[in-house]
Structure formats: structure tokens, C-alpha cells
Amino acid sequence: MKFNTKAIHGGLKEIDPAYGSVMPPIYQTTTYSQSTPGGHKGFEYSRSANPTRDALERAIASIENGNHGMAFGSGLAAIDAVLKLLKSGDEVISTNDLYGGTYRLFTSIFEDFGIKFKFIGMENAEKIDEYVTDKTKLIWVETPTNPMMNIIDIKKAAAVAKKHNVLLAVDNTFATAYLQRPLDLGADIVMHSATKYLGGHSDVVMGTLAVKDKELADKLYFIQNASGAIAGPQDCFLVLRGLKTLHVRMQRHCENGKQVAEYLSNHPKIENVYWPGLKNHPNHDIAKKQMDGFGGMISFTTKGNNYEEAIKIVENLNIFTLAESLGGVESLAGHPASMTHASIPKAEREKTGVVDSLIRLSVGIEDGDDLVADLKQAIG
Ligand SMILES: *Cc1c(COP(=O)(O)O)cnc(C)c1O
């Protein structure tokens, strides 16, 4: 099955046997009747498993070309589950230009449990090798990175992980499975904030994992059930519905992303435009190799790097809504230094390029000309 078919039918092997409903019903239930102790139909308690969540988890595995999927209450809950594969004393090598909440989870929660993190630039993925010790258990890659849109070569990162027998996990939130399938490139775990493109309509907070390996899946299912940060059935239904249009939405995100990135690149007041589809993007070649398109996430800075001017631009936008988050059908704009990345110390964030004038756009699927006109009036 090709991707566009999987987005609609993937994992949904049987139509509801009771009434033939085309969409999996929302099983809003905590428990399931048993004919005799242990005599159930595969479901006994909805933390352990729920039929609506089960349908979504199969769909997630399908679009990522994995064998097992898991849905959690948020993207961070999914990352939290991955980190719980580790023990005190273990080391993680992570991308340095990282979603702020992931950085906070690693440094403010898991460091206190004795896990050590090394945050490094990974644009040259062979270099990861230099940081591996006998304590390293996990390599955490985010690509494209948030918000600098750096691209990390997943195949090369996987080669390092395989060589040292450590796990490679990829945060695939920005690209989605439509544009990039990390498991096919050698990653062990692919993670999503389904809050973003998978849900796609800015109405659900959720996280997912997908893996190929059964033994690894069993460990993660154990953690999912034992820690309990599961996604609810109503939210699973909404993300299942979102997945059915993922491919058409992503096509339009890519088209509009291109139009906006090209407009900004030619604007006299704009200093840098970070979008992996631009030929002058430092990792354009890797992006071309491992992605099927360049997506709708764009960051840019203004000449003079003025904090107040950047604030003014995001306030002046009309169609782009000033808001955190990304990946919905509507366009959003954010100012990372004061919003999503406010939890990262200034010196730390500036090292990775999150300067005062940086603006991040989540380009939606409205008319591309309208989006450009909105930017034009806001930037001046
Ligand atoms: C939003 C986001 C997360 C966290 O997901 P939540 O659903 O907000 O918990 C992790 N990684 C990336 C790249 C994100 O954009």
C-alpha cells in the first residue's frame, strides 16, 4: 500500500463488526465485561488498552512503516516513556537545537534521576560517534530541528547507533511520516507530537511512538501501562480523523511553505530564512535525500536583529495567529525567544541561533497569496 492509501486505511483492518461503522467508534469506557475471570475480548481496562486507541496505534504504526504504535497524552509523555527505558547512570546524546519542552524534560526531570545528557550539534552526524561512551544508551535526534530547521542525516546517525548498539530515537513532528520515515532510515523509535500535523486541526494534545522491533515495543507498552500517560478515546478518534487528510494537508503545507520562504528570501528587511527547501540552506542536500518535501515550518530573522521590531511584526499579522504550537490547517506565528524557548537560558538559546529577532511560522493551508500579502503588510 502506498502512503496516501495508508493514511486513510492503514491499520484499520476490520470494519466495526457490530454495525459496520466506517470510522472506529469512540469506546468511551473504562472497563469491559468478562464471561469468566480473564475471559475477555482483548480488552480489560482502558489504561492497558482501548479499542479506539488500538485503532489509532495501528494506523500510526502503518504510516511510519513500523509494526507497533503507541498513543500518549502528549508528545512529552511519549518522550517521557522513551526515557524510562533508561536507568540511572545511563547517558543520552541529544540534538542541541531541541524543542524547548524536550530540553526541559531532559534537564529538569531526568537529570535529577541520574541520567546524563550531552547536547551537541548533529549537522555532521558522523561526529556523534565522538561522544559515545560505554554508558551511552540512547541517541535523540530531532529533524528538522525546532526552530532553526537544521537537518540531521538520520541514516548516518543510525550507523553510529548500530555500531555501538545504542537506541536511536527520532522526533519526526516537523516532517511527519508523509515527508520522512525514520524507521526506514534505521531509527529504532519514531516519536511525534500528534498535537501538531498528525492531528492537524489544533484541537488535540497527543503524542505517539512507532517501532519495528517487538521486544522494544513490549518494553514501551509495559511503560505506557505502568506509568499510565495514555491518550483518551475521544482524542484518538480525532487524530484518526486527522490522519485521513494528512497527505493532502502536507502537500499544501509544502506548496505554501515554498511560496512564503521564497517571498521572505527576496525581502530587503529580512536577514536569514531557514527553510530546508531553499538551495542556500546549509543542509539542503541532506533534506533532499531523506525527505519527500520540505514542509511548512519556516523561521526567519530581520536585519538589525531588533527584539521590538520582531514583536511588532508578529503583532501586526492578521491571518497568521500569534500563538504557540504548529502544524494545524491555520497559519501561526511565534517568537521563540519570548514564547516556546523562553525556558532555555538566553546564552544557551543564542548559541543555537534563537536570537531576539527570530520569528517562526507554521504556514497553514490557506491561500498562499493571502499569506504572502499578510506578511507584506506586517513586515512593511
Ligand atoms: C510540540 C512538540 C513536542 C511536544 O509535544 P506536546 O504534544 O506539546 O507534548 C515535542 N517535539 C516537537 C518537535 C514539538 O513541536
Side-chain angles (χ1 to χ4, degrees):
M1 238 190 258
K2 292 196 178 172
F3 190 90
N4 296 354
T5 312
K6 280 194 204 174
I8 293 168
H9 299 287
L12 305 180
K13 52 180 184 262
E14 64 205 24
I15 299 277
D16 159 43
Y19 301 109
S21 75
V22 168
M23 274 302 279
I26 303 168
Y27 284 93
Q28 195 75 47
T29 185
T30 54
T31 191
Y32 307 82
S33 75
Q34 306 190 9
S35 53
T36 178
H40 55 74
K41 297 180 172 137
F43 299 94
E44 44 191 337
Y45 184 60
S46 280
R47 172 162 33 73
S48 314
N50 169 284
T52 316
R53 193 173 91 223
D54 201 48
L56 173 65
E57 289 176 333
R58 280 185 268 123
I60 293 288
S62 166
I63 61 168
E64 288 288 358
N65 294 338
N67 298 317
H68 311 276
M70 284 136 243
F72 296 84
S74 70
L76 286 176
I79 301 172
D80 178 89
V82 173
L83 269 288
K84 284 176 178 159
L85 292 166
L86 308 184
K87 292 191 169 52
S88 176
D90 289 348
E91 290 180 4
V92 178
I93 302 171
S94 166
T95 312
N96 62 358
D97 174 23
L98 199 59
Y99 176 73
T102 309
Y103 179 83
R104 182 177 55 195
L105 175 66
F106 288 176
T107 55
S108 299
I109 306 282
F110 282 103
E111 269 183 2
D112 286 349
F113 288 103
I115 293 171
K116 257 185 81 180
F117 294 86
K118 293 176 182 166
F119 297 97
I120 66 165
M122 292 184 171
E123 292 85 81
N124 190 348
E126 289 104 343
K127 280 245 163 94
I128 300 170
D129 196 58
E130 295 169 17
Y131 296 86
V132 177
T133 71
D134 57 356
K135 297 213 171 73
T136 307
K137 292 288 150 57
L138 174 68
I139 298 171
W140 186 269
V141 166
E142 190 179 310
T143 181
T145 65
N146 177 35
M148 297 311 298
M149 308 302 297
N150 292 318
I151 305 294
I152 294 157
D153 192 320
I154 297 172
K155 247 189 194 162
K156 285 188 179 162
V160 175
K162 290 278 163 322
K163 177 176 156 198
H164 298 284
N165 198 27
V166 307
L167 290 172
L168 173 66
V170 175
D171 183 336
N172 203 28
T173 300
F174 273 33
T176 81
Y178 179 73
L179 298 180
Q180 173 172 284
R181 286 157 306 279
L183 298 181
D184 289 349
L185 300 171
D188 300 290
I189 301 171
V190 57
M191 172 264 154
H192 276 277
S193 170
T195 312
K196 316 296 168 50
Y197 288 105
L198 301 191
H201 295 74
S202 308
D203 51 11
V204 185
V205 174
M206 190 191 287
T208 63
L209 300 176
V211 304
K212 284 194 183 199
D213 183 66
K214 168 88 167 66
E215 204 180 313
L216 179 58
D218 285 344
K219 285 184 193 164
L220 288 165
Y221 281 129
F222 179 84
I223 293 166
Q224 185 190 35
N225 184 44
S227 281
I230 48 148
Q234 180 96 32
D235 287 351
C236 290
F237 175 87
L238 284 172
V239 173
L240 263 171
R241 186 169 72 166
L243 285 186
K244 288 174 188 285
T245 56
L246 178 65
H247 51 303
V248 283
R249 286 186 287 111
M250 288 311 294
Q251 248 166 27
R252 179 62 76 87
H253 283 298
C254 290
E255 284 166 25
N256 285 354
K258 182 173 195 295
Q259 189 177 351
V260 167
E262 284 173 356
Y263 170 73
L264 292 171
S265 300
N266 293 317
H267 196 294
K269 288 192 184 168
I270 303 302
E271 177 84 52
N272 295 303
V273 180
Y274 305 101
W275 186 66
L278 293 173
K279 289 204 176 61
N280 66 359
H281 185 287
N283 319 124
H284 177 67
D285 289 342
I286 305 169
K288 236 168 64 182
K289 198 177 64 170
Q290 74 184 15
M291 298 172 77
D292 296 331
F294 306 108
M297 294 304 299
I298 301 171
S299 294
F300 66 95
T301 59
T302 51
K303 288 191 177 141
N305 191 32
N306 187 295
Y307 187 93
E308 282 72 31
E309 187 189 30
I311 299 279
K312 217 179 212 155
I313 291 172
V314 292
E315 283 176 353
N316 283 347
L317 288 163
N318 294 321
I319 298 175
F320 285 84
T321 302
L322 175 59
E324 297 202 0
S325 199
L326 60 112
V329 292
E330 61 283 297
S331 293
L332 302 180
H335 182 241
S338 64
M339 296 167 69
T340 45
H341 289 59
S343 58
I344 302 181
K346 182 174 158 85
E348 199 64 33
R349 70 169 163 79
E350 288 197 332
K351 262 193 248 164
T352 60
V354 183
V355 297
D356 285 348
S357 77
L358 188 80
I359 291 171
R360 192 191 75 177
L361 302 177
S362 171
V363 178
I365 62 170
E366 300 96 334
D367 187 276
D369 294 342
D370 286 339
L371 297 179
V372 165
D374 193 27
L375 286 162
K376 192 172 180 179
Q377 64 78 25
I379 299 168

